[in-house]
């Protein structure tokens, strides 16, 4: 008589099972062959000793093997097949070769019959069974089980892709019993479940109701689903799949325990979908959000370039908050990702490098945005002068009507970096166009102790030689317009009006006098310019018939 437990199985180098070799050989072809091989190696004096078999890489681990053992010891029963264990039992029975060649109604056949009824399961049952495949994914994938369940999920999505409801999960017992019913009976029961539970579940929209449910699945299964749809990597041109992948990756990003490398393929697929539909579907802010999310999944360099190219082309729609993307990793290079902004600016300048009015309008919008950005990042102690200049000089001169905003950014930077050398303080000012500084800003620059003296002299000299100095500033023009609309103009500016020898009835001459008063303030910066202006006024009065000598004019300097 054989021993009750004459077979020892060491499972995956972690667990040990003691079984009866005759009983287990009746159902498993794999173990039957292993027992025969081990018996031949035994010596005659050890005929009754226990046989030891090493089983590695068994699907389902100890739980799966325990279920199989219970099936064998209960003569083909003793376990209930449901959606939570069907995948494990299917892979375990396939691994152990529990086929019909050994005995009728073996475990593999029973699990196959159960899985054939998946098209009559509820949505949640299919999803739960697919989720359980993650425990045995390599085996489930090689045996074709993952593909079967993925097609079942896709069929459910297709059936409920309109505004109809997706029905609540039935109990495991009902799913198990469905496998023993005929298809017609199972379909009738499923229809009954639909009618009874349709009020308890509602979907988001016709195309996106399944997003949250599918987010519980692991990346390998989602990758399998995308591949079956033919949309993996560069082939993704589906807006629905792109939106799902973005939703899915956002949920996984919040879990710090996930291995982000496993999601890189899905992230690249999402990028391809965004690039494909960016100009017609996604706003600039949304694509910035995509960049923030997907950067955490180690997307490929090609995908990153594609995403940055799309953003760069619509940079005029961006806001300051969009550009303030924290730098990943160590903070030695600064708190914000300045290199990203530089790359985006290069793309924008490259596609908008023309003199058309629309392009000029767009580039001036970006110029104001970059000045705000520089003022925001200037207090960063890790921001190098070279990086500041690289951002400021990425745009052409035409991007700024006035350089006052850029000067304020430089002033903030110098204030935040008091230990900066004189050479660096001089270097950072090279991005300024002194001729495009307003007179007031130029005065502030000249009085600023943080600005090197040679820069202040250069700025004042540029102002003096600039044609813009002779033209009233925008603020001065606004003041003139207000004064011209005032009824009390003669009372507010009596000095020139009370001069003797001028015919004030001429409206043309009256306007000349008003402009003279405004120009007087501008002439104070240069005696030479004042003298030139006097001769211009004399010539102007002569043209109007006034021949009074220049001695009758007021002293302007």
């Amino acid at each position: 008589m054989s021993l009750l437990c004459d077979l020892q199985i060491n499972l995956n180098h972690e667990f040990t099972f003691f079984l009866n070799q005759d009983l287990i050989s009746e159902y498993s072809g794999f173990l039957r062959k292993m027992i025969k091989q081990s018996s031949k190696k035994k010596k005659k004096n050890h005929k009754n000793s226990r046989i030891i078999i090493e089983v590695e890489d068994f699907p389902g681990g100890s739980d799966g093997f325990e279920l199989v053992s219970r099936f064998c010891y209960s003569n083909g029963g003793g376990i209930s097949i449901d959606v939570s264990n069907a995948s494990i039992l299917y892979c375990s029975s396939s691994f152990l070769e529990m086929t019909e060649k050994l005995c009728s109604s073996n475990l593999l056949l029973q699990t196959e019959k159960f899985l054939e009824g998946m098209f009559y399961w509820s949505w949640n049952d299919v999803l739960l069974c697919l989720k359980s495949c993650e425990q045995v994914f390599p085996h489930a994938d090689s045996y074709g089980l993952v593909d079967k369940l993925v097609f079942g999920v896709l069929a459910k999505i297709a059936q409920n892709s309109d505004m109809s409801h997706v029905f609540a999960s039935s109990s495991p017992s009902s799913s198990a019993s469905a496998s023993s019913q005929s298809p017609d009976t199972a379909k009738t029961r499923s229809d009954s479940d639909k009618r009874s539970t349709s009020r308890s579940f509602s979907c988001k929209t016709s195309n996106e109701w399944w997003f949250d449910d599918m987010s519980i699945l692991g990346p390998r299964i989602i990758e399998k689903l995308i591949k079956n749809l033919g949309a993996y990597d560069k082939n993704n041109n589906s807006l629905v799949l792109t939106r799902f992948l973005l939703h899915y990756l956002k949920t996984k990003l919040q879990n710090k325990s996930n291995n982000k490398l496993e999601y890189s393929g899905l992230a690249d697929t999402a990028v391809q979908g965004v690039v494909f539909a960016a100009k017609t579907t996604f706003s600039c802010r949304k694509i910035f959000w995509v960049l923030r999310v997907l950067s955490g999944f180690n997307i490929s360099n090609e995908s990153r370039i594609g995403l940055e190219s799309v953003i760069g082309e619509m940079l005029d729609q961006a806001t300051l908050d969009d550009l303030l993307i924290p730098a990943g990793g160590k903070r030695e290079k600064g708190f914000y990702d300045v290199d990203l902004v530089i790359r985006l600016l290069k793309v924008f300048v490259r596609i908008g490098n023309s003199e058309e009015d629309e392009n000029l309008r767009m580039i001036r919008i970006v110029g104001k945005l970059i000045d705000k950005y520089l003022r925001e990042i200037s207090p960063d102690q890790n921001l190098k002068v070279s990086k500041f200049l690289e951002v400021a000089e990425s745009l052409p001169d035409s991007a700024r009507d006035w350089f006052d905003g850029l000067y304020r950014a430089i002033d903030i930077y110098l204030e935040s970096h008091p230990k900066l050398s004189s050479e660096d303080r001089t270097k950072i000012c090279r991005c300024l166009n002194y001729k495009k500084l307003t007179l007031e800003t130029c005065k502030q620059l000249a009085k600023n102790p943080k600005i090197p003296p040679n820069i202040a002299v250069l700025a004042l000299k540029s102002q003096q030689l600039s044609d813009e100095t002779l033209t009233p500033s925008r603020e001065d023009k606004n003041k003139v317009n207000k004064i011209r609309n005032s009824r009390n103009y003669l009372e507010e500016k009596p000095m020139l009006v009370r001069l003797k020898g001028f015919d004030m009835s001429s409206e043309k001459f009256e306007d000349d006098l008003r402009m003279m008063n405004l120009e007087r303030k501008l002439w104070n910066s240069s005696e030479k310019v004042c003298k030139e202006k006097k001769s211009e006024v004399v010539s102007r009065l002569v043209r109007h018939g006034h021949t009074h000598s220049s001695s009758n004019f007021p002293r302007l300097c």
Side-chain angles (χ1 to χ4, degrees), residues 153-180:
V153 166
L154 293 175
K156 289 293 181 182
I157 293 175
Q159 290 172 5
N160 299 278
S161 59
D162 54 8
M163 293 303 293
S164 62
H165 296 296
V166 182
F167 306 102
S169 175
S170 59
S171 62
S173 58
S174 67
S175 297
S177 62
S179 65
S180 62

PDB file of all heavy atoms in Angstrom, residues 153-180:
ATOM      1  N   VAL A 153     -14.156  42.914 -23.195  1.00  0.00           N
ATOM      2  CA  VAL A 153     -14.295  44.292 -22.714  1.00  0.00           C
ATOM      3  C   VAL A 153     -14.652  45.230 -23.856  1.00  0.00           C
ATOM      4  O   VAL A 153     -15.538  46.092 -23.731  1.00  0.00           O
ATOM      5  CB  VAL A 153     -12.988  44.745 -22.023  1.00  0.00           C
ATOM      6  CG1 VAL A 153     -12.979  46.246 -21.818  1.00  0.00           C
ATOM      7  CG2 VAL A 153     -12.819  44.034 -20.689  1.00  0.00           C
ATOM      8  N   LEU A 154     -13.978  45.078 -24.988  1.00  0.00           N
ATOM      9  CA  LEU A 154     -14.263  45.940 -26.132  1.00  0.00           C
ATOM     10  C   LEU A 154     -15.688  45.737 -26.647  1.00  0.00           C
ATOM     11  O   LEU A 154     -16.341  46.689 -27.089  1.00  0.00           O
ATOM     12  CB  LEU A 154     -13.262  45.659 -27.254  1.00  0.00           C
ATOM     13  CG  LEU A 154     -11.815  46.053 -26.965  1.00  0.00           C
ATOM     14  CD1 LEU A 154     -10.899  45.623 -28.107  1.00  0.00           C
ATOM     15  CD2 LEU A 154     -11.690  47.543 -26.725  1.00  0.00           C
ATOM     16  N   ALA A 155     -16.170  44.507 -26.579  1.00  0.00           N
ATOM     17  CA  ALA A 155     -17.547  44.246 -26.995  1.00  0.00           C
ATOM     18  C   ALA A 155     -18.533  44.966 -26.081  1.00  0.00           C
ATOM     19  O   ALA A 155     -19.539  45.532 -26.534  1.00  0.00           O
ATOM     20  CB  ALA A 155     -17.810  42.736 -26.992  1.00  0.00           C
ATOM     21  N   LYS A 156     -18.244  44.966 -24.776  1.00  0.00           N
ATOM     22  CA  LYS A 156     -19.116  45.670 -23.833  1.00  0.00           C
ATOM     23  C   LYS A 156     -19.084  47.175 -24.075  1.00  0.00           C
ATOM     24  O   LYS A 156     -20.127  47.851 -23.992  1.00  0.00           O
ATOM     25  CB  LYS A 156     -18.676  45.364 -22.396  1.00  0.00           C
ATOM     26  CG  LYS A 156     -18.956  43.943 -21.932  1.00  0.00           C
ATOM     27  CD  LYS A 156     -20.440  43.695 -21.812  1.00  0.00           C
ATOM     28  CE  LYS A 156     -20.731  42.282 -21.325  1.00  0.00           C
ATOM     29  NZ  LYS A 156     -22.178  42.016 -21.245  1.00  0.00           N
ATOM     30  N   ILE A 157     -17.923  47.700 -24.361  1.00  0.00           N
ATOM     31  CA  ILE A 157     -17.814  49.138 -24.643  1.00  0.00           C
ATOM     32  C   ILE A 157     -18.603  49.489 -25.900  1.00  0.00           C
ATOM     33  O   ILE A 157     -19.303  50.501 -25.954  1.00  0.00           O
ATOM     34  CB  ILE A 157     -16.337  49.546 -24.785  1.00  0.00           C
ATOM     35  CG1 ILE A 157     -15.611  49.399 -23.438  1.00  0.00           C
ATOM     36  CG2 ILE A 157     -16.223  50.982 -25.289  1.00  0.00           C
ATOM     37  CD1 ILE A 157     -14.126  49.670 -23.505  1.00  0.00           C
ATOM     38  N   ALA A 158     -18.483  48.634 -26.915  1.00  0.00           N
ATOM     39  CA  ALA A 158     -19.210  48.889 -28.158  1.00  0.00           C
ATOM     40  C   ALA A 158     -20.713  48.815 -27.947  1.00  0.00           C
ATOM     41  O   ALA A 158     -21.482  49.612 -28.510  1.00  0.00           O
ATOM     42  CB  ALA A 158     -18.775  47.889 -29.225  1.00  0.00           C
ATOM     43  N   GLN A 159     -21.166  47.888 -27.110  1.00  0.00           N
ATOM     44  CA  GLN A 159     -22.599  47.749 -26.859  1.00  0.00           C
ATOM     45  C   GLN A 159     -23.175  48.951 -26.121  1.00  0.00           C
ATOM     46  O   GLN A 159     -24.347  49.283 -26.283  1.00  0.00           O
ATOM     47  CB  GLN A 159     -22.860  46.485 -26.029  1.00  0.00           C
ATOM     48  CG  GLN A 159     -22.629  45.193 -26.791  1.00  0.00           C
ATOM     49  CD  GLN A 159     -22.708  43.977 -25.893  1.00  0.00           C
ATOM     50  OE1 GLN A 159     -23.030  44.089 -24.703  1.00  0.00           O
ATOM     51  NE2 GLN A 159     -22.410  42.811 -26.442  1.00  0.00           N
ATOM     52  N   ASN A 160     -22.357  49.602 -25.321  1.00  0.00           N
ATOM     53  CA  ASN A 160     -22.848  50.695 -24.475  1.00  0.00           C
ATOM     54  C   ASN A 160     -22.174  52.019 -24.816  1.00  0.00           C
ATOM     55  O   ASN A 160     -21.947  52.848 -23.938  1.00  0.00           O
ATOM     56  CB  ASN A 160     -22.599  50.355 -22.997  1.00  0.00           C
ATOM     57  CG  ASN A 160     -23.314  49.096 -22.564  1.00  0.00           C
ATOM     58  OD1 ASN A 160     -24.484  49.100 -22.253  1.00  0.00           O
ATOM     59  ND2 ASN A 160     -22.589  47.985 -22.563  1.00  0.00           N
ATOM     60  N   SER A 161     -21.830  52.202 -26.078  1.00  0.00           N
ATOM     61  CA  SER A 161     -21.124  53.416 -26.465  1.00  0.00           C
ATOM     62  C   SER A 161     -22.051  54.601 -26.686  1.00  0.00           C
ATOM     63  O   SER A 161     -21.607  55.683 -26.957  1.00  0.00           O
ATOM     64  CB  SER A 161     -20.319  53.172 -27.749  1.00  0.00           C
ATOM     65  OG  SER A 161     -21.191  52.769 -28.794  1.00  0.00           O
ATOM     66  N   ASP A 162     -23.368  54.390 -26.542  1.00  0.00           N
ATOM     67  CA  ASP A 162     -24.292  55.502 -26.652  1.00  0.00           C
ATOM     68  C   ASP A 162     -24.690  55.967 -25.251  1.00  0.00           C
ATOM     69  O   ASP A 162     -23.991  55.712 -24.282  1.00  0.00           O
ATOM     70  CB  ASP A 162     -25.519  55.112 -27.485  1.00  0.00           C
ATOM     71  CG  ASP A 162     -26.192  53.861 -26.944  1.00  0.00           C
ATOM     72  OD1 ASP A 162     -25.771  53.417 -25.844  1.00  0.00           O
ATOM     73  OD2 ASP A 162     -27.108  53.342 -27.598  1.00  0.00           O
ATOM     74  N   MET A 163     -25.849  56.586 -25.110  1.00  0.00           N
ATOM     75  CA  MET A 163     -26.261  57.124 -23.815  1.00  0.00           C
ATOM     76  C   MET A 163     -26.961  56.094 -22.935  1.00  0.00           C
ATOM     77  O   MET A 163     -27.490  56.427 -21.885  1.00  0.00           O
ATOM     78  CB  MET A 163     -27.195  58.323 -24.031  1.00  0.00           C
ATOM     79  CG  MET A 163     -26.504  59.531 -24.656  1.00  0.00           C
ATOM     80  SD  MET A 163     -25.089  60.101 -23.718  1.00  0.00           S
ATOM     81  CE  MET A 163     -25.923  60.695 -22.240  1.00  0.00           C
ATOM     82  N   SER A 164     -26.984  54.848 -23.357  1.00  0.00           N
ATOM     83  CA  SER A 164     -27.601  53.819 -22.526  1.00  0.00           C
ATOM     84  C   SER A 164     -26.749  53.542 -21.304  1.00  0.00           C
ATOM     85  O   SER A 164     -25.602  53.945 -21.210  1.00  0.00           O
ATOM     86  CB  SER A 164     -27.783  52.538 -23.335  1.00  0.00           C
ATOM     87  OG  SER A 164     -26.534  52.042 -23.744  1.00  0.00           O
ATOM     88  N   HIS A 165     -27.326  52.814 -20.368  1.00  0.00           N
ATOM     89  CA  HIS A 165     -26.642  52.560 -19.097  1.00  0.00           C
ATOM     90  C   HIS A 165     -25.749  51.329 -19.180  1.00  0.00           C
ATOM     91  O   HIS A 165     -25.980  50.427 -19.976  1.00  0.00           O
ATOM     92  CB  HIS A 165     -27.665  52.354 -17.983  1.00  0.00           C
ATOM     93  CG  HIS A 165     -28.487  53.568 -17.712  1.00  0.00           C
ATOM     94  ND1 HIS A 165     -27.960  54.741 -17.247  1.00  0.00           N
ATOM     95  CD2 HIS A 165     -29.807  53.794 -17.860  1.00  0.00           C
ATOM     96  CE1 HIS A 165     -28.903  55.645 -17.099  1.00  0.00           C
ATOM     97  NE2 HIS A 165     -30.046  55.094 -17.474  1.00  0.00           N
ATOM     98  N   VAL A 166     -24.745  51.306 -18.338  1.00  0.00           N
ATOM     99  CA  VAL A 166     -23.903  50.130 -18.139  1.00  0.00           C
ATOM    100  C   VAL A 166     -24.351  49.497 -16.838  1.00  0.00           C
ATOM    101  O   VAL A 166     -24.510  50.169 -15.832  1.00  0.00           O
ATOM    102  CB  VAL A 166     -22.419  50.521 -18.058  1.00  0.00           C
ATOM    103  CG1 VAL A 166     -21.563  49.285 -17.899  1.00  0.00           C
ATOM    104  CG2 VAL A 166     -22.035  51.247 -19.320  1.00  0.00           C
ATOM    105  N   PHE A 167     -24.527  48.219 -16.860  1.00  0.00           N
ATOM    106  CA  PHE A 167     -25.276  47.594 -15.788  1.00  0.00           C
ATOM    107  C   PHE A 167     -24.379  47.112 -14.651  1.00  0.00           C
ATOM    108  O   PHE A 167     -23.239  46.720 -14.863  1.00  0.00           O
ATOM    109  CB  PHE A 167     -26.089  46.434 -16.364  1.00  0.00           C
ATOM    110  CG  PHE A 167     -26.937  46.875 -17.509  1.00  0.00           C
ATOM    111  CD1 PHE A 167     -26.549  46.610 -18.806  1.00  0.00           C
ATOM    112  CD2 PHE A 167     -28.065  47.620 -17.295  1.00  0.00           C
ATOM    113  CE1 PHE A 167     -27.301  47.058 -19.872  1.00  0.00           C
ATOM    114  CE2 PHE A 167     -28.831  48.064 -18.349  1.00  0.00           C
ATOM    115  CZ  PHE A 167     -28.456  47.786 -19.636  1.00  0.00           C
ATOM    116  N   ALA A 168     -24.948  47.102 -13.472  1.00  0.00           N
ATOM    117  CA  ALA A 168     -24.193  46.744 -12.268  1.00  0.00           C
ATOM    118  C   ALA A 168     -23.753  45.295 -12.323  1.00  0.00           C
ATOM    119  O   ALA A 168     -24.362  44.462 -12.991  1.00  0.00           O
ATOM    120  CB  ALA A 168     -25.049  46.981 -11.028  1.00  0.00           C
ATOM    121  N   SER A 169     -22.678  45.027 -11.601  1.00  0.00           N
ATOM    122  CA  SER A 169     -22.100  43.684 -11.613  1.00  0.00           C
ATOM    123  C   SER A 169     -23.026  42.697 -10.930  1.00  0.00           C
ATOM    124  O   SER A 169     -23.637  42.972  -9.904  1.00  0.00           O
ATOM    125  CB  SER A 169     -20.747  43.702 -10.910  1.00  0.00           C
ATOM    126  OG  SER A 169     -20.232  42.399 -10.818  1.00  0.00           O
ATOM    127  N   SER A 170     -23.146  41.538 -11.537  1.00  0.00           N
ATOM    128  CA  SER A 170     -23.875  40.464 -10.869  1.00  0.00           C
ATOM    129  C   SER A 170     -22.963  39.799  -9.868  1.00  0.00           C
ATOM    130  O   SER A 170     -21.757  39.986  -9.859  1.00  0.00           O
ATOM    131  CB  SER A 170     -24.356  39.446 -11.906  1.00  0.00           C
ATOM    132  OG  SER A 170     -23.252  38.903 -12.604  1.00  0.00           O
ATOM    133  N   SER A 171     -23.515  38.998  -9.014  1.00  0.00           N
ATOM    134  CA  SER A 171     -22.724  38.330  -7.980  1.00  0.00           C
ATOM    135  C   SER A 171     -21.886  37.232  -8.608  1.00  0.00           C
ATOM    136  O   SER A 171     -22.210  36.707  -9.667  1.00  0.00           O
ATOM    137  CB  SER A 171     -23.657  37.719  -6.930  1.00  0.00           C
ATOM    138  OG  SER A 171     -24.472  36.738  -7.546  1.00  0.00           O
ATOM    139  N   PRO A 172     -20.777  36.851  -7.970  1.00  0.00           N
ATOM    140  CA  PRO A 172     -19.938  35.776  -8.512  1.00  0.00           C
ATOM    141  C   PRO A 172     -20.700  34.494  -8.715  1.00  0.00           C
ATOM    142  O   PRO A 172     -20.455  33.755  -9.661  1.00  0.00           O
ATOM    143  CB  PRO A 172     -18.828  35.639  -7.464  1.00  0.00           C
ATOM    144  CG  PRO A 172     -18.751  36.993  -6.824  1.00  0.00           C
ATOM    145  CD  PRO A 172     -20.162  37.493  -6.804  1.00  0.00           C
ATOM    146  N   SER A 173     -21.628  34.236  -7.824  1.00  0.00           N
ATOM    147  CA  SER A 173     -22.372  32.992  -7.945  1.00  0.00           C
ATOM    148  C   SER A 173     -23.225  32.971  -9.197  1.00  0.00           C
ATOM    149  O   SER A 173     -23.369  31.951  -9.863  1.00  0.00           O
ATOM    150  CB  SER A 173     -23.252  32.787  -6.709  1.00  0.00           C
ATOM    151  OG  SER A 173     -24.139  33.893  -6.570  1.00  0.00           O
ATOM    152  N   SER A 174     -23.817  34.131  -9.510  1.00  0.00           N
ATOM    153  CA  SER A 174     -24.638  34.187 -10.711  1.00  0.00           C
ATOM    154  C   SER A 174     -23.786  34.030 -11.957  1.00  0.00           C
ATOM    155  O   SER A 174     -24.213  33.432 -12.939  1.00  0.00           O
ATOM    156  CB  SER A 174     -25.408  35.513 -10.771  1.00  0.00           C
ATOM    157  OG  SER A 174     -24.520  36.606 -10.945  1.00  0.00           O
ATOM    158  N   SER A 175     -22.555  34.562 -11.920  1.00  0.00           N
ATOM    159  CA  SER A 175     -21.662  34.407 -13.059  1.00  0.00           C
ATOM    160  C   SER A 175     -21.227  32.964 -13.220  1.00  0.00           C
ATOM    161  O   SER A 175     -21.098  32.456 -14.322  1.00  0.00           O
ATOM    162  CB  SER A 175     -20.429  35.301 -12.896  1.00  0.00           C
ATOM    163  OG  SER A 175     -20.804  36.654 -12.888  1.00  0.00           O
ATOM    164  N   ALA A 176     -20.994  32.315 -12.096  1.00  0.00           N
ATOM    165  CA  ALA A 176     -20.587  30.915 -12.149  1.00  0.00           C
ATOM    166  C   ALA A 176     -21.701  30.058 -12.704  1.00  0.00           C
ATOM    167  O   ALA A 176     -21.484  29.146 -13.497  1.00  0.00           O
ATOM    168  CB  ALA A 176     -20.176  30.438 -10.755  1.00  0.00           C
ATOM    169  N   SER A 177     -22.921  30.323 -12.253  1.00  0.00           N
ATOM    170  CA  SER A 177     -24.040  29.539 -12.740  1.00  0.00           C
ATOM    171  C   SER A 177     -24.315  29.781 -14.200  1.00  0.00           C
ATOM    172  O   SER A 177     -24.843  28.938 -14.904  1.00  0.00           O
ATOM    173  CB  SER A 177     -25.297  29.852 -11.919  1.00  0.00           C
ATOM    174  OG  SER A 177     -25.633  31.227 -12.065  1.00  0.00           O
ATOM    175  N   ALA A 178     -23.920  30.987 -14.678  1.00  0.00           N
ATOM    176  CA  ALA A 178     -24.160  31.300 -16.080  1.00  0.00           C
ATOM    177  C   ALA A 178     -23.388  30.369 -16.996  1.00  0.00           C
ATOM    178  O   ALA A 178     -23.811  30.107 -18.128  1.00  0.00           O
ATOM    179  CB  ALA A 178     -23.776  32.751 -16.369  1.00  0.00           C
ATOM    180  N   SER A 179     -22.262  29.878 -16.529  1.00  0.00           N
ATOM    181  CA  SER A 179     -21.449  29.004 -17.369  1.00  0.00           C
ATOM    182  C   SER A 179     -22.127  27.676 -17.603  1.00  0.00           C
ATOM    183  O   SER A 179     -21.867  27.002 -18.591  1.00  0.00           O
ATOM    184  CB  SER A 179     -20.080  28.787 -16.721  1.00  0.00           C
ATOM    185  OG  SER A 179     -20.226  28.097 -15.502  1.00  0.00           O
ATOM    186  N   SER A 180     -22.983  27.254 -16.674  1.00  0.00           N
ATOM    187  CA  SER A 180     -23.654  25.972 -16.823  1.00  0.00           C
ATOM    188  C   SER A 180     -24.965  26.082 -17.572  1.00  0.00           C
ATOM    189  O   SER A 180     -25.615  25.074 -17.836  1.00  0.00           O
ATOM    190  CB  SER A 180     -23.895  25.367 -15.435  1.00  0.00           C
ATOM    191  OG  SER A 180     -24.742  26.237 -14.688  1.00  0.00           O
TER     192      SER A 180
END
